Structure formats: structure tokens, C-alpha cells
Amino acid sequence: MASSAPSVITETHMAQVVERIYLRYIVPSAEKELFHLPVSMRDAITEKKLSDDPAVFDQAQRYVYQLLLATWPHFLRYKVLMNLTLNQQLGRIAVGLTSLLVGFSVEFSLIFLNIQPWLYRLSGIVPILFGVFCVISGLTGVDPIWVLVFNVSETTTFHFNRIQQPKVREILVARSAVVLAVCLAITILLLILFCAVPGKRL
């Protein structure tokens, strides 16, 4: 009689564990429902749940594990290597190209109107710098100002979380420095080209 007590307790405990996992992850509208779990797999678990055997979740466990392996590179890219969402990236590229169009228009107007002195050509620096910054940050997914000044990362569009993991911040700071250097280099190169071109009134 004494030896049967642990077995009864173990079976009861297993039944509770199975029930808890089922109610938390499998049933519709569960607290942490696995939305990507196929309906056929969900139905199979429901049918076998009465057995109180944790093995009923083995197939779902393998499925979730494979799903995590497939999505990990995307998670790494958007949560560790970048601090902008996809919508933010696309918006910045569009705004950046528009700003570059304005800056180039100003510079070409000054060249073809042969406006003197040539220092007036520096007036296009603001839209060009802003445009280059938006395009580069949109392409790389990194906003150096948000990282270096505010220490935040965008979770959803215009919703932010502070960067708390030291390793993640280290990676983003390094990438931010590269982005800033590229932006400044491209802007300076464009201004040198525009300032070096001789004016010619059409």
C-alpha cells in the first residue's frame, strides 16, 4: 500500500501538468495560444488529452521548435541588428529620396544659374544631409540618434523600448557609428562634387 502512494501522486501531477499546458497554449483564446499550430495538430492533442500523457504534446513541441529555428534569423535581424521596424524603414527611404530630390534641385539650379559666390551652393547641405541620413538609416534599419542619444529601439511603429541588454547595445552602437560615418562621407562627397562643378548659365 505504501509503495502505491507515489505512483498515484505522480499520475495526478502529470494530469495537472497536461491540463495546465492545454489550457494555456492549445485551447482557442488561451492566454498564450499557439496561433501558428495547425488545426489538425490541435485537434489531435484535444482527442488524446484525456490520456493525461505529456507525450501528446511531442508533435507540437517539435513543430514549434522548427518554427523557432526558421524565424530566429528574422528575429535576430530586426531585434538585435536593427532598431527600426519595416514600416519605419520604408517611410524613411521615401522621405529621404524626396529630400535628396529637393537638395539636388537646389544645387543644380545654383549651378545652371551660375549664382556667385560658390558658397551659396552650400545651401543644399541640409536637405542632402537629411536625405542621405533617411535613406541610409532606412536601408540599414539603424537610427544612430535613437541608439546613441535616447538608447531606444522601435518595437512597433513609433512605439519604443529601452535597449537593456549590454550586448545588443554594443552591437547597435557599433552599427550606429558606421551609419553616421557613411552618411557624413556621402554628404561631404556630394557637396564637394556640387561645389567643384563650374557654373554655367543656360
Side-chain angles (χ1 to χ4, degrees), residues 67-97:
L67 192 62
L68 287 173
L69 288 180
T71 56
W72 170 250
H74 301 286
F75 171 83
L76 183 67
R77 180 181 178 189
Y78 282 101
K79 298 301 180 183
V80 177
L81 301 180
M82 301 190 296
N83 70 329
L84 299 179
T85 60
L86 181 60
N87 290 337
Q88 182 76 228
Q89 289 180 258
L90 297 175
R92 286 181 178 231
I93 292 173
V95 171
L97 292 175

Side-chain angles (χ1 to χ4, degrees), residues 33-50:
E33 181 183 358
L34 298 174
F35 296 101
H36 298 289
L37 206 62
V39 176
S40 58
M41 195 177 298
R42 193 188 302 264
D43 292 341
I45 293 173
T46 302
E47 292 176 3
K48 298 177 182 178
K49 184 178 73 69
L50 295 177

Side-chain angles (χ1 to χ4, degrees), residues 99-115:
S99 184
L100 285 175
L101 178 62
V102 172
F104 289 168
S105 298
V106 170
E107 293 296 337
F108 282 121
S109 298
L110 294 174
I111 290 173
F112 292 124
L113 291 175
N114 196 22
I115 302 298

Side-chain angles (χ1 to χ4, degrees), residues 54-194:
V56 300
F57 301 114
D58 285 352
Q59 188 178 5
Q61 182 183 23
R62 288 192 294 270
Y63 180 85
V64 171
Y65 177 73
Q66 293 299 325
L67 192 62
L68 287 173
L69 288 180
T71 56
W72 170 250
H74 301 286
F75 171 83
L76 183 67
R77 180 181 178 189
Y78 282 101
K79 298 301 180 183
V80 177
L81 301 180
M82 301 190 296
N83 70 329
L84 299 179
T85 60
L86 181 60
N87 290 337
Q88 182 76 228
Q89 289 180 258
L90 297 175
R92 286 181 178 231
I93 292 173
V95 171
L97 292 175
T98 303
S99 184
L100 285 175
L101 178 62
V102 172
F104 289 168
S105 298
V106 170
E107 293 296 337
F108 282 121
S109 298
L110 294 174
I111 290 173
F112 292 124
L113 291 175
N114 196 22
I115 302 298
Q116 297 295 332
W118 67 268
L119 287 175
Y120 282 119
R121 297 187 187 181
L122 295 178
S123 57
I125 188 173
V126 174
I128 290 178
L129 177 59
F130 180 72
V132 169
F133 179 82
C134 286
V135 170
I136 298 299
S137 63
L139 291 174
T140 60
V142 176
D143 185 312
I145 296 176
W146 288 359
V147 173
L148 300 176
V149 178
F150 301 106
N151 190 37
V152 296
S153 182
E154 191 178 38
T155 53
T156 58
T157 307
F158 292 116
H159 289 82
F160 307 94
N161 279 342
R162 295 191 64 81
I163 304 171
Q164 298 180 350
Q165 296 295 329
K167 188 61 178 179
V168 174
R169 175 165 173 75
E170 180 183 336
I171 293 172
L172 287 175
V173 166
R175 286 172 60 83
S176 296
V178 173
V179 169
L180 281 179
V182 171
C183 289
L184 290 175
I186 293 176
T187 302
I188 292 173
L189 178 61
L190 289 174
L191 287 177
I192 290 175
L193 290 175
F194 280 125

Side-chain angles (χ1 to χ4, degrees), residues 5-17 52:
S7 176
V8 173
I9 294 174
T10 301
E11 290 175 1
T12 303
H13 177 69
M14 284 297 145
Q16 292 174 345
V17 169
D52 296 333

